[in-house]
């Protein structure tokens, strides 16, 4: 009897029942099919225009959808003379991320403003394969980042042991080096595989003048016509992403800045910090650490053996000529560093804690600085495990380059992936107008209390696809999984919230049908966070997928939302059916 019961449990786990369309889907079908059992392309077009608020839906779009659904579901589209959809066909269409995605996949923003008007997808220590202390340096993570749409690649460049060539490595750590030329060639090959807009290489330069000259030669030989640099010594205003399509730009500190640089005292750090939870903390918990541990970065003063040499060599001039975005910290405090100069643009780098302090005391000055100049924010030095910080504080203050360890993973990185799904995933997202507003009495103050501007209603209907992407025993050995969904907002502090649905027991295709309302003060910077977990009574809940979507890009109506794994790779089949409505 015991074995028989065991057998019953065993067969039970393989049963995946097809969930029927949610009530809202049935009602929409009845309404637009005008009570009939079939929906024509013309009726589908009405549904798209009215219910889905898809203003651009043409008759040809509706016809194409009908054809694709019939082809996919019945493989006999060519034989069907009556080109119409049944309720199940209609549901299948709504639940297909390819046919009915939650956001658009084309570039649709104005790309003709100066670079400083955009958030730019930025990597930190882009050459590291793993942690910050002992992982290998390689061109592989650089290629991966470029294929994801990252537009700013950071390279730390050092002399090799014989001082006659240039290596890329994380200085004063045990990371194994990779040759600079290998990284440059990989950038040249993959820079525009995902996006035509410019790639910026930020160099953290620890070289002697003769090696800087060698780098100049490498850059010219590798990139040729791709390399953009200004005719005059310093740019008054940055060109636009549109003007710089398919171009490579160099940003680093010009050689004379090193002349003035004093030797930086490297601080020692305790490397035995506990690893964070695998997915990282909740974004709301990410701002609490204030210990001051700025490790050197490209703008802080560097120890350069040649810092006291007198005159410039022509080789150095060649190197300097190729630097389009000049980096550097002016003498004096933060107030001085944030001065906006009339006739030149520059780049300033601040660690995540330095930004927090600046935001506290000079919030509007930071916003004003970023209207014309570039601000780069980088992770604090103690993030040895390549974890990340909360990107929103940078974005709220107009920082274009919020630099992230792309080889780490966790909730902060999910937010970064989400932000740059906007604008067709091209790696450049236009900053909201209120951050760019230049009239003095109107400079955006991130600390100001703001009224609710827009309310987003989100309905979570159901999920599907886990039985195809996961082993039958992945979540529970003897029974189907117990899924629940967490839905919420990351954004300005006043907008942040996380809710969750009830758990749906023993079901591979869970149906929740729950609605959540999110009043938003700054919808332009809000990201919709979605996570699915599997409830586990005895241990930590299992992970079942996540995504982050820019609220400003959400398409209204019922949409299929594809989910991603912890590292941000899209699952083949796992998706949710959700409805978005702005009120």
């Amino acid at each position: 009897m015991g074995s028989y019961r065991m057998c019953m449990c065993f067969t039970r786990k393989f049963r995946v029942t097809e969930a029927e369309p949610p009530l809202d889907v049935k009602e929409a079908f009845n309404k637009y099919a005008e009570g009939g059992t079939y929906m024509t392309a013309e009726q589908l077009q009405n549904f798209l225009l009215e219910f889905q608020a898809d203003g651009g839906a043409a008759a040809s779009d509706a016809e194409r959808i009908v054809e694709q659904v019939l082809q996919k579901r019945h493989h006999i589209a060519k034989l069907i003379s009556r080109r119409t959809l049944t309720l199940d066909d209609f549901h299948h269409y709504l639940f297909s991320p390819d046919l009915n995605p939650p956001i658009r996949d084309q570039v649709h923003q104005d790309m003709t403003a100066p670079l400083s008007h955009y958030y730019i997808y930025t990597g930190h220590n882009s050459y590291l394969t793993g942690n910050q202390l002992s992982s290998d340096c390689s061109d592989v993570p650089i290629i991966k980042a470029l294929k994801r749409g990252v537009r700013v690649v950071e390279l730390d460049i050092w002399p090799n042991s014989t001082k006659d060539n240039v290596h890329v490595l994380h200085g004063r750590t045990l990371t194994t080096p990779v040759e600079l030329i290998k990284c440059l060639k990989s950038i040249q090959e993959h820079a525009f595989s995902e996006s035509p807009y410019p790639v910026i290489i930020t160099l953290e330069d620890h070289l002697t003048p003769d090696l800087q000259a060698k780098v100049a030669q490498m850059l010219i030989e590798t990139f040729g016509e791709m390399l953009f640099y200004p005719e005059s010594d310093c740019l008054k205003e940055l060109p636009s992403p549109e003007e710089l399509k398919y171009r490579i730009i160099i940003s680093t500190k010009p050689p004379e800045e090193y002349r003035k640089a004093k030797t930086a005292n490297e601080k020692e750090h305790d490397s035995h910090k506990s690893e964070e939870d695998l997915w990282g903390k909740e974004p709301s918990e990410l701002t609490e650490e204030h210990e001051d541990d700025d490790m050197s970065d490209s703008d802080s003063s560097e120890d350069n053996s040649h810092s006291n040499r007198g005159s410039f060599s022509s080789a150095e001039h060649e190197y300097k000529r190729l630097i389009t975005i000049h980096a550097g910290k002016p003498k004096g405090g933060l107030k001085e560093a944030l001065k906006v100069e009339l006739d030149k643009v520059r780049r300033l780098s601040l660690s995540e804690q330095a930004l927090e302090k600046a935001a506290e005391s000079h919030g509007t000055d930071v916003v004003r600085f970023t209207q014309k100049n570039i601000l780069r924010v980088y992770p604090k030095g103690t993030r040895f495990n390549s974890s990340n910080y909360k990107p929103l504080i940078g974005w709220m203050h107009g920082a274009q380059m919020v630099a992230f360890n792309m080889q780490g993973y966790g909730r902060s990185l999910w937010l970064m992936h989400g932000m740059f799904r906007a604008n067709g995933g091209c790696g450049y997202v236009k900053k909201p107008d209120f951050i760019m507003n230049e009239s003095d009495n109107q400079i955006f103050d991130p600390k100001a209390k703001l009224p609710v501007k827009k309310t987003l209603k989100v309905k979570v209907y159901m999920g599907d696809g886990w039985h195809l992407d996961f082993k039958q025993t992945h979540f529970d050995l003897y029974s189907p999984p117990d899924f629940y969904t967490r839905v919420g907002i990351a954004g300005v502090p006043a907008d942040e919230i996380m809710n969750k649905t009830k758990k749906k027991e023993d079901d591979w295709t869970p149906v929740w049908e729950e609605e959540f309302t999110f009043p938003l003060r700054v919808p332009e910077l809000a990201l919709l966070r979605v996570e699915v977990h599997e409830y586990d009574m005895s241990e930590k809940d299992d992970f079942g997928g996540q995504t982050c979507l820019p609220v400003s890009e959400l398409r209204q109506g019922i949409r299929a939302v594809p989910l991603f794994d912890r590292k941000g790779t899209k699952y083949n089949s796992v998706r949710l059916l959700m409805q978005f409505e702005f009120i």
Side-chain angles (χ1 to χ4, degrees), residues 372-513:
K372 183 179 171 186
N373 300 284
I374 300 283
L375 177 59
R376 178 173 164 273
V377 184
Y378 59 93
K380 59 185 180 180
T382 51
R383 292 189 178 276
F384 299 125
N385 60 353
S386 294
S387 63
N388 287 299
Y389 51 102
K390 185 177 179 178
L392 283 134
I393 186 163
W395 294 332
M396 270 159 52
H397 289 83
Q400 296 85 350
M401 298 183 180
V402 175
F404 261 40
N405 294 310
M406 296 294 166
Q407 75 283 17
Y409 56 94
R411 287 195 168 102
S412 300
L413 193 53
W414 301 347
L415 300 184
M416 181 63 69
H417 292 162
M419 175 67 154
F420 287 100
R421 288 193 176 108
N423 203 20
C426 75
Y428 285 82
V429 173
K430 200 150 191 316
K431 294 199 264 184
D433 291 345
F434 63 80
I435 286 180
M436 295 310 302
N437 193 328
E438 289 186 49
S439 63
D440 236 31
N441 56 343
Q442 286 246 283
I443 290 278
F444 174 63
D445 179 3
K447 290 207 286 285
K449 293 254 184 294
L450 297 165
V452 170
K453 195 168 179 180
K454 207 183 246 188
T455 297
L456 169 67
K457 264 169 73 173
V458 176
K459 198 161 182 179
V460 187
Y461 293 113
M462 58 190 295
D464 199 2
W466 288 278
H467 66 288
L468 298 170
D469 292 349
F470 288 83
K471 284 199 187 83
Q472 298 288 340
T473 52
H474 179 90
F475 296 105
D476 284 310
L477 220 45
Y478 299 120
S479 67
D482 308 325
F483 289 123
Y484 64 90
T485 300
R486 300 182 71 220
V487 187
I489 297 289
V492 299
D495 286 348
E496 299 217 318
I497 187 170
M498 234 21 207
N499 295 319
K500 64 177 175 184
T501 65
K502 296 180 184 67
K503 67 174 187 289
K504 187 78 175 110
E505 292 191 352
D506 293 346
D507 205 332
W508 282 101
T509 51
V511 176
W512 297 287
E513 295 251 9

Side-chain angles (χ1 to χ4, degrees), residues 91-134:
H91 181 227
H92 172 88
Y93 155 65
L94 288 175
F95 214 173
S96 304
D98 301 345
L99 300 175
N100 185 33
I103 59 174
R104 291 187 279 175
D105 61 357
Q106 295 92 14
V107 174
H108 56 87
Q109 295 177 345
D110 169 22
M111 300 303 279
T112 61
L115 282 184
S116 54
H117 291 223
Y118 299 83
Y119 299 121
I120 312 173
Y121 206 173
T122 302
H124 174 254
N125 291 349
S126 309
Y127 49 85
L128 288 179
T129 53
N131 70 50
Q132 303 284 308
L133 295 174
S134 60

Side-chain angles (χ1 to χ4, degrees), residues 139-244:
D139 61 336
V140 174
I142 296 172
I143 295 168
K144 272 189 186 157
L146 290 169
K147 284 184 171 172
R148 177 158 253 152
V150 169
R151 299 288 83 194
V152 184
V153 171
E154 184 191 29
L155 303 175
D156 280 10
I157 49 178
W158 295 80
N160 65 352
S161 54
T162 49
K163 306 276 190 286
D164 62 354
N165 209 338
V166 182
H167 274 168
V168 171
L169 74 149
H170 199 197
R172 307 183 185 84
T173 64
L174 303 172
T175 57
T176 52
V178 58
E179 285 193 349
L180 171 63
I181 191 69
K182 190 175 184 186
C183 296
L184 297 180
K185 282 180 172 160
S186 292
I187 292 170
Q188 192 268 338
E189 206 175 315
H190 298 278
F192 306 109
S193 59
E194 202 50 42
S195 165
Y197 293 103
V199 166
I200 302 167
I201 302 173
T202 56
L203 297 174
E204 190 171 320
D205 170 351
H206 308 262
L207 302 178
T208 52
D210 56 327
L211 286 177
Q212 287 179 337
K214 191 165 185 157
V215 170
Q217 197 184 339
M218 279 185 207
L219 291 170
I220 289 165
E221 282 172 13
T222 309
F223 297 119
E225 292 293 300
M226 278 182 169
L227 200 60
F228 172 89
Y229 46 93
E231 295 305 310
S232 65
D233 199 31
C234 211
L235 283 173
K236 289 191 164 79
E237 187 179 64
L238 292 164
S240 71
E242 193 58 45
E243 288 169 79
L244 293 169

